[in-house]
Structure formats: C-alpha cells, structure tokens
Amino acid sequence: MNLLKNRFALKLQFAVVLLACLAACKSVKTGASNASAKNPEVKLGWELGSQAYTFRLFTFAEAIKKIDSCNLRYVEAFPGQKIGGGIEGTMGPDMDDAKRQAVLAKLKENNVKVVAFGVTGANSEAEWVKLFEFCKAMGIHTITSEPNEKDLQLVSDLCDKYQINVAIHNHPNPSHYWNPDIVLNAIKGKSKRLGACADIGHWVRSGLDPVECLKKLDGHVLHSHMKDLHEKGKGGHDVHWGEGVSNIPAVIAELKRQNFKGAISAEYEYNWESNSADVAASVVNFRNLVSKL
C-alpha cells in the first residue's frame, strides 16, 4: 500500500512540474509574441535604436535615459560625448577598463545595449587596432566610419579578425562618400563586413533618391541612420519619420526586400534641446509602417 502511495505521489509531483513547465513556456511565447507586436521590427532582425548624437547636448548617461523613454533598446555611441552619471571622461577608445565596465553597467541599468560606435575613424594602424579592441570589449558589432580609402584593406582585414562590421557613412556632397557608387567601388573585393551605413537624410540633402541608393547598395547595407526631412536639399531639417520628403515607407519596404539585418539609428538633428518627443513620435510612425508590410 505504501509503495502505491509513493508511486501516486511521484506521479502527482511529475504532473505538477510538467504543468508548471508548460505554463512557463506559454508565458515566454506570449511575452515574445507581445514584444513582436509592439516592436514589429524585431521579427525582421532590426535593432531599432538611436544615435547618441541626437542627444549631443547631454551626457551619454542622460542620452540612454532619453533613449529608454522613447521605447528604444539600442544605442549607437559617438566619440567625445561626456559620459556622465558619476563617471568621468568621454566616450571612446581611451576609456580604461573601469570606465568601460561602469558604462556597461549603466547601460544594463537602463535596459539599453550599445551596438554601434561612430561616426569615427583612425589615422594609423595602431589607432585602428585600438578602436577595434575598444569595440570588442564593449560588445559593439558595428563601427560607422568614413575611412581614408588607403586604409580600407587594413580595415577590411581587421573586420574579419575581430568579427566587427565597418559601415561607411555618407555625409552630404561634397564629402567623399556622399554617393553610393563611390562606396561600392571602395569596398569592391573587400570583406563582407565592410559595407555601408545608409544615412537616409544625407542622401536627400545631396539630391539623391534614398530608395534608389539603397537598391544600388543591395547586400552591402550594414547599418542605417534614419532621417526624414521637411524639404529636399541641404536646407532640409528633420521631421517625424513618414511626414517628410524622404519616402520613409518605401525606404522601410526596400530594407525588408533586401532582407537587411542590423541596427537602425534614429539621428534626429533638430530641436536639439528637447527632441525626445520627436524621436518617440518617429518611432511610433516607424513601427506602424513596419506592421503594415
């Protein structure tokens, strides 16, 4: 009799554990489903975040709080921004290990992850190695840069060695990489980790069609700076995504068609002193557009 009771008790315990596991699995799936519904870009493999330069008037610590308030989980740090939050110094490869760990802890505290660093560069092999070592230590997977073409083979080799992307950024004409044809020619024969950082707004400022630029770079877009402008040309300033002349719905559709995977940084260079609401509104517009794809 005692043996039967023990067997029954064991079966009952097993059943309780099994039900608990099934409930936990359902909860995880439901949570993931809810996250995808709220942030539809996740299912496309897009890391929607912000360039910290959007909040350049503030410290990095303040910037990540603002990014968190915009319902974004990723940041692209830029060199030279004061760290803040009780941490002395500025963002960049010169940070010692203690500062790096303190910044990573601050990011974790705000539920934000640093995935990119730039726009930056280096003037020697030693400086490039130092930059890659810094990014590796910080868990950064993409460097946005406008490197001198003479350094591109070195950069390409470092990309493969460190398994870190370098995305060539386009500032407006007459900057060197303003046209995607120049970028394509520069990266020819180089590592697949050397590609383009598609700055949508700067293409519009240069008189280029951003969708056509993306099509030219098909397969080579590693990162994007998302912008929408109120008018074409160099006088254009940032507006909420989807409300300007940059044809953001078509830009999003083209990124999806290319099966782009990577980070998209909000870089809102207007209303500098109080642009968190502008970024938040742009994010809402972006996710509404993505959900309709």
Side-chain angles (χ1 to χ4, degrees):
M1 181 65 73
N2 288 335
L3 182 61
L4 290 173
K5 284 183 178 179
N6 288 339
R7 286 180 178 175
F8 178 77
L10 287 172
K11 288 181 179 180
L12 184 60
Q13 288 176 0
F14 177 77
V16 170
V17 171
L18 181 60
L19 287 171
C21 290
L22 290 172
C25 290
K26 183 178 180 181
S27 176
V28 169
K29 288 180 180 178
T30 301
S33 177
N34 289 340
S36 295
K38 291 179 181 178
N39 304 334
E41 75 279 0
V42 172
K43 64 184 179 182
L44 297 175
W46 299 354
E47 297 171 332
L48 184 60
S50 178
Q51 231 294 356
Y53 193 76
T54 297
F55 307 110
R56 66 182 178 83
L57 300 184
F58 306 89
T59 66
F60 183 73
E62 291 170 322
I64 59 177
K65 286 184 180 295
K66 290 177 180 291
I67 290 167
D68 177 39
S69 75
C70 295
N71 195 23
L72 295 172
R73 303 272 67 87
Y74 302 99
V75 61
E76 176 183 355
F78 76 90
Q81 185 174 25
K82 288 184 178 180
I83 300 172
I87 308 169
E88 294 295 326
T90 59
M91 291 295 295
D94 289 332
M95 292 163 54
D96 61 27
D97 185 62
K99 285 189 174 66
R100 294 176 185 185
Q101 294 305 314
V103 167
L104 289 172
K106 185 73 66 176
L107 286 159
K108 186 176 181 180
E109 177 186 320
N110 289 276
N111 196 25
V112 174
K113 182 179 180 182
V114 59
V115 293
F117 184 70
V119 175
T120 189
N123 296 312
S124 68
E125 181 174 354
E127 286 185 6
W128 276 112
V129 170
K130 185 177 181 180
L131 175 58
F132 273 84
E133 289 282 356
F134 165 71
C135 290
K136 180 181 179 181
M138 296 296 289
I140 291 167
H141 60 58
T142 300
I143 298 167
T144 55
S145 181
E146 295 180 21
N148 191 308
E149 284 206 35
K150 69 178 178 61
D151 294 330
L152 287 182
Q153 188 57 57
L154 167 64
V155 172
S156 175
D157 293 341
L158 290 172
C159 285
D160 288 336
K161 179 180 178 179
Y162 288 92
Q163 296 293 286
I164 291 173
N165 298 330
V166 169
I168 297 177
H169 177 263
N170 54 285
H171 271 108
N173 187 18
S175 72
H176 182 65
Y177 293 109
W178 72 277
N179 192 302
D181 292 331
I182 298 169
V183 176
L184 285 170
N185 185 63
I187 65 176
K188 191 179 299 181
K190 304 294 193 300
S191 168
K192 291 182 178 179
R193 287 186 171 276
L194 182 61
C197 169
D199 191 307
I200 306 305
H202 286 337
W203 278 332
V204 175
R205 289 190 175 106
S206 297
L208 300 175
D209 180 335
V211 178
E212 292 305 312
C213 290
L214 286 171
K215 287 180 178 178
K216 283 186 177 182
L217 292 166
D218 192 347
H220 299 288
V221 180
L222 302 176
H223 189 93
S224 180
H225 287 172
M226 192 63 63
K227 295 185 178 80
D228 202 353
L229 306 183
H230 86 296
E231 67 179 24
K232 296 179 181 180
K234 292 185 178 178
H237 67 68
D238 287 82
V239 295
H240 299 168
W241 302 347
E243 299 175 14
V245 299
S246 300
N247 199 2
I248 296 300
V251 165
I252 292 171
E254 177 59 21
L255 287 171
K256 182 186 178 185
R257 185 197 68 79
Q258 291 188 22
N259 197 31
F260 163 76
K261 307 291 182 187
I264 297 173
S265 296
E267 192 171 39
Y268 205 95
E269 300 174 311
Y270 192 63
N271 191 23
W272 290 104
E273 294 182 355
S274 183
N275 57 13
S276 296
D278 297 311
V279 174
S282 294
V283 169
V284 170
N285 289 355
F286 182 92
R287 287 176 171 152
N288 284 339
L289 291 167
V290 171
S291 66
K292 294 175 183 176
L293 292 177

